[in-house]
Amino acid sequence: MADNHGLKWLVGLAGVVVLLAGLKAAEAIVIPIMLALFIAIISTPFLRGLTRRGVPSYMAVLIVLFVLIIFGGALGMIVSQSIDSFLTRMPQYQERLQTLTVDWLPYLERWDIPVNRDMVMNHFNPSQVMGLVGTTLSGIGSLLTNLFLVIFIVIFILLEEAGFGDKVKAALPNAEKSIRDAQGFMKQVNQYLMIKTTISFITGALVTLWLWWLDVDFPVLWGLIAMLMNYIPNVGSLIAAVPAVLLALVQLGVTEAMFVVAGYIAVNMVMGNLIEPRFMGRGLGLSPLVVFLSLILWGWLFGPVGMFLSIPLTMIVKIALEQNEGTRWVAILLGNEVPNTSE
């Protein structure tokens, strides 16, 4: 029995490896589908709200898609222009940042810190960070070229969602329990994604307004990055702040860069530590180790998009595992709280 149990685990692990390899190989196809599913899940509550008010299904789908196209198109156009402008100016930013770094060397020497220009450029070159930011933004820019494909996939998903329950009932006579379980699962996923997306959107809007007030270049772009990185707890806010702080340092100076840091800290303290816990509730969280490993795994699989989707995808897996008694223990290990077993 022990050998059979070990063999089952080995086969399961091999299956996971094969699945991940397949996802990596099909990256160009999988990324638009995952983004479309993400958008469709967020849009489903609005779609159902319209149909409950008597709006025909096809008309509700058209209304939701119209809003998505207008909002997504406007945001995509602004972000694309910002990315192109940033990449054009990036050599100037890198040169300026490198000059600032060298200018700080005399201050370090006053404190008897044994550093020189070659050592700093070899081991700590901030301009390389700007290069990494540019590479990441290029990946986001290339993703925007798939916007129309994502929208078409969303259209068909929303159209299929309207009658999917009836199809399952007709295909499987005893499907009532499966449908109830699926509805409970989707309700939790919708709750998590809606709350997280709303809080992330507000976070991005506040960051944009703060950077716009400080006159930092491309505030909408950094606000979008803050919104996307807000899906990643613990480290997401730190990652989002780095390029904006470096740009403020290069463009405006040390004082303004400190104001940028203060703004990011204030926004994330209020939204992440005060607002989000009140609405998110208990049990909808992941352990810091799982967050970090998810970021590495999904980022390796799908690049910047994988980093953005890493926590929502892992959270959906955790919610799915909670639905089955046999896999609930895995969900507990993935979570950040110890369940109360005394009840």
Side-chain angles (χ1 to χ4, degrees):
M1 286 294 292
D3 291 340
N4 290 337
H5 188 69
L7 182 61
K8 287 171 64 176
W9 274 97
L10 188 60
V11 171
L13 182 61
V16 171
V17 172
V18 172
L19 177 62
L20 293 177
L23 290 174
K24 180 66 175 176
E27 176 182 352
I29 300 174
V30 174
I31 288 178
I33 293 176
M34 287 198 311
L35 283 174
L37 284 171
F38 179 79
I39 295 172
I41 291 174
I42 295 174
S43 304
T44 298
F46 299 106
L47 181 65
R48 291 176 180 169
L50 291 173
T51 54
R52 280 197 299 266
R53 287 172 172 78
V55 179
S57 296
Y58 71 91
M59 185 60 68
V61 172
L62 289 177
I63 293 173
V64 171
L65 287 174
F66 178 77
V67 174
L68 288 175
I69 291 172
I70 295 298
F71 178 77
L75 184 63
M77 183 173 61
I78 294 172
V79 171
S80 295
Q81 292 177 351
S82 298
I83 290 174
D84 290 341
S85 299
F86 178 81
L87 294 177
T88 301
R89 300 185 197 177
M90 192 172 66
Q92 301 173 12
Y93 292 146
Q94 288 178 312
E95 183 178 352
R96 173 65 178 154
L97 188 58
Q98 187 169 328
T99 301
L100 287 174
T101 304
V102 174
D103 289 343
W104 275 89
L105 291 179
Y107 296 98
L108 297 177
E109 292 174 354
R110 290 179 186 176
W111 291 89
D112 296 327
I113 299 176
V115 292
N116 55 54
R117 186 183 186 281
D118 293 335
M119 184 186 301
V120 171
M121 292 300 104
N122 289 333
H123 300 286
F124 179 71
N125 191 346
S127 65
Q128 294 177 356
V129 178
M130 276 292 185
L132 180 60
V133 172
T135 303
T136 304
L137 292 179
S138 298
I140 297 175
S142 64
L143 174 65
L144 295 175
T145 60
N146 293 324
L147 182 62
F148 287 105
L149 175 60
V150 172
I151 290 175
F152 274 113
I153 297 174
V154 171
I155 292 173
F156 289 109
I157 291 175
L158 293 179
L159 288 173
E160 189 69 21
E161 192 275 340
F164 186 72
D166 295 332
K167 287 183 179 181
V168 173
K169 290 178 182 177
L172 304 173
N174 300 320
E176 291 293 337
K177 183 178 183 303
S178 299
I179 292 176
R180 285 197 303 270
D181 293 343
Q183 287 174 342
F185 165 69
M186 288 305 300
K187 182 178 179 180
Q188 290 190 58
V189 172
N190 276 327
Q191 177 191 4
Y192 169 76
L193 289 182
M194 280 298 299
I195 294 173
K196 194 68 177 177
T197 299
T198 302
I199 291 174
S200 298
F201 179 80
I202 296 173
T203 299
L206 291 175
V207 167
T208 299
L209 291 174
W210 180 247
L211 296 180
W212 174 77
W213 184 74
L214 291 174
D215 202 25
V216 179
D217 287 345
F218 317 116
V220 176
L221 178 60
W222 310 128
L224 176 65
I225 292 177
M227 173 184 168
L228 298 181
M229 290 296 103
N230 194 64
Y231 285 94
I232 305 172
N234 305 321
V235 297
S237 301
L238 177 63
I239 297 173
V242 169
V245 172
L246 288 178
L247 181 60
L249 180 65
V250 170
Q251 179 194 347
L252 303 173
V254 176
T255 303
E256 287 78 4
M258 296 303 295
F259 276 115
V260 172
V261 172
Y264 270 90
I265 293 175
V267 169
N268 286 284
M269 285 288 290
V270 172
M271 299 304 298
N273 296 335
L274 299 179
I275 304 299
E276 184 172 326
R278 290 192 60 179
F279 292 95
M280 192 66 75
R282 296 174 61 85
L284 288 178
L286 297 169
S287 75
L289 176 61
V290 171
V291 169
F292 184 68
L293 295 179
S294 299
L295 191 63
I296 294 175
L297 175 62
W298 294 108
W300 170 73
L301 281 174
F302 304 125
V305 179
M307 295 176 66
F308 154 57
L309 292 175
S310 61
I311 304 308
L313 288 171
T314 308
M315 195 67 227
I316 291 172
V317 171
K318 177 177 178 288
I319 294 173
L321 292 171
E322 288 174 343
Q323 309 304 308
N324 189 291
E325 194 66 37
T327 58
R328 192 165 296 161
W329 64 274
V330 182
I332 293 174
L333 293 178
L334 294 177
N336 62 346
E337 297 176 352
V338 179
N340 188 1
T341 57
S342 61
E343 297 180 0

